[in-house]
Amino acid sequence: MTGSPPRRVSVLIPAHNEANYITGCLTALYASTISGHGIEVLVLANGCTDDTVARARSVSVPDGWEMRVLERAEGGKLAALTEGDKAANGDILVYLDADVRVEPELLSQIAQVLCPDRALYASGSPCVTPAQSAFTRAYASAWVRLPFVRTGAPGFGIFAMTRAGRERWGQWPAIISDDTYARLHFSPEERIRLPGRYHWPMVEGFRNLVRVRRRQDRGVAEIKTLFPQLLQNDDPRPSGMRAMARIALNNPIGAAVYVAVSLAVKTRLFSSNVVWTRGR
């Protein structure tokens, strides 16, 4: 942190019935090795019917940190984010999923690289939490080698930006892929991938992977339809077929499982009329 001027960092954690995850998320966050900056944490509880709020308030807050819970009766992550942005006092905004656990160095690195007077975006280096099912482990072993995971600053699970960057749009739109929407408001030169790691879980089993992948693909298609101007900021990547062929040379089982999920996504297998599906 030497040479980095004091900054105000706001960590926003949208949470809808995250009682099984919020304690671990906050415990990992509070273990961050960051000093010399003002830190506030806002848990954006939206439409919770479990004890997410009570569990969030029960985690011991480190000295020098502030923690607030903003409760909304209505569910909806994007509306909660808009409310959280208005309530946050930081000149650096960190958006953290409630089921993600950051390693101690990441928050400090974010505060160090994001200069408040510039429009900048940052994220860490993702690690997939070890899965319980063999199928998800095989899928993840291929997925982590995809170009969009290994290069650039993908931002799923956690992303951060300066206030100057956040001012590029107004309230969050009612869309599926908020992380893609935020990332594409910054050019590749404005996006920073940090070495600090974070742990991101996947859903278990073939059926759940298909449902989540279908929702993710729908979210990307939605961005392309509603905000085509943002696509100019996407990272250039090799075709999916070439990337998967390279993965298959070293990991044929993982590649086969990944392709099986991808093919199932294109069919109506496990489809439903439910709009929202847990991302992990």
Side-chain angles (χ1 to χ4, degrees):
M1 301 301 298
T2 302
S4 178
R7 291 158 188 167
R8 181 76 173 173
V9 180
S10 296
V11 183
L12 294 84
I13 308 175
H16 172 72
N17 289 346
E18 300 287 2
N20 292 333
Y21 299 98
I22 193 66
T23 299
C25 175
L26 289 173
T27 299
L29 179 66
Y30 292 158
S32 297
T33 54
I34 183 171
S35 61
H37 301 284
I39 312 293
E40 67 172 357
V41 178
L42 284 74
V43 176
L44 312 177
N46 59 97
C48 291
T49 57
D50 63 4
D51 61 345
T52 294
V53 171
R55 293 193 182 199
R57 288 177 171 149
S58 71
V59 183
S60 179
V61 181
D63 292 340
W65 291 51
E66 298 177 18
M67 196 281 281
R68 288 181 281 157
V69 177
L70 304 184
E71 295 186 67
R72 288 175 47 88
E74 305 84 3
K77 179 180 181 181
L78 283 305
L81 288 179
T82 294
E83 184 173 314
D85 286 341
K86 294 176 181 177
N89 297 312
D91 47 20
I92 293 174
L93 302 172
V94 181
Y95 300 89
L96 174 64
D97 285 354
D99 55 1
V100 167
R101 301 190 182 192
V102 298
E103 292 196 1
E105 300 81 10
L106 180 54
L107 192 60
S108 175
Q109 292 172 5
I110 288 172
Q112 188 170 11
V113 302
L114 292 186
C115 303
D117 59 341
R118 297 179 57 194
L120 293 172
Y121 170 103
S123 186
S125 297
C127 302
V128 175
T129 303
Q132 297 177 13
S133 68
F135 193 91
T136 296
R137 288 197 299 271
Y139 178 88
S141 70
W143 186 86
V144 296
R145 297 181 62 84
L146 294 172
F148 89 95
V149 179
R150 294 170 62 88
T151 62
F156 53 83
I158 180 173
F159 56 89
M161 67 189 70
T162 58
R163 278 283 184 183
R166 178 60 185 84
E167 290 173 358
R168 290 184 170 177
W169 72 94
Q171 69 179 27
W172 292 85
I175 56 175
I176 296 171
S177 189
D178 55 281
D179 54 344
T180 303
Y181 179 78
R183 178 174 59 85
L184 293 182
H185 272 84
F186 299 84
S187 68
E189 295 75 23
E190 294 172 324
R191 298 195 295 260
I192 305 167
R193 183 187 181 114
L194 297 166
R197 304 194 306 172
Y198 64 94
H199 297 267
W200 183 86
M202 280 189 174
V203 294
E204 299 287 349
F206 181 52
R207 177 187 293 265
N208 288 328
L209 284 168
V210 170
R211 286 177 171 170
V212 169
R213 270 288 303 280
R214 183 176 287 125
R215 177 179 181 272
Q216 291 169 344
D217 288 355
R218 191 183 304 130
V220 173
E222 185 179 53
I223 295 290
K224 292 180 178 179
T225 300
L226 298 178
F227 310 101
Q229 72 279 8
L230 296 180
L231 300 180
Q232 63 183 344
N233 286 330
D234 208 356
D235 293 308
R237 299 188 181 99
S239 73
M241 292 184 62
R242 288 201 301 270
M244 192 51 55
R246 288 196 293 268
I247 293 170
L249 291 175
N250 297 312
N251 183 8
I253 294 177
V257 168
Y258 183 90
V259 169
V261 170
S262 299
L263 292 174
V265 166
K266 298 181 185 302
T267 72
R268 294 190 59 81
L269 188 65
F270 308 136
S271 63
S272 71
N273 294 323
V274 177
V275 175
W276 185 86
T277 305
R278 173 174 289 280
R280 285 159 305 281

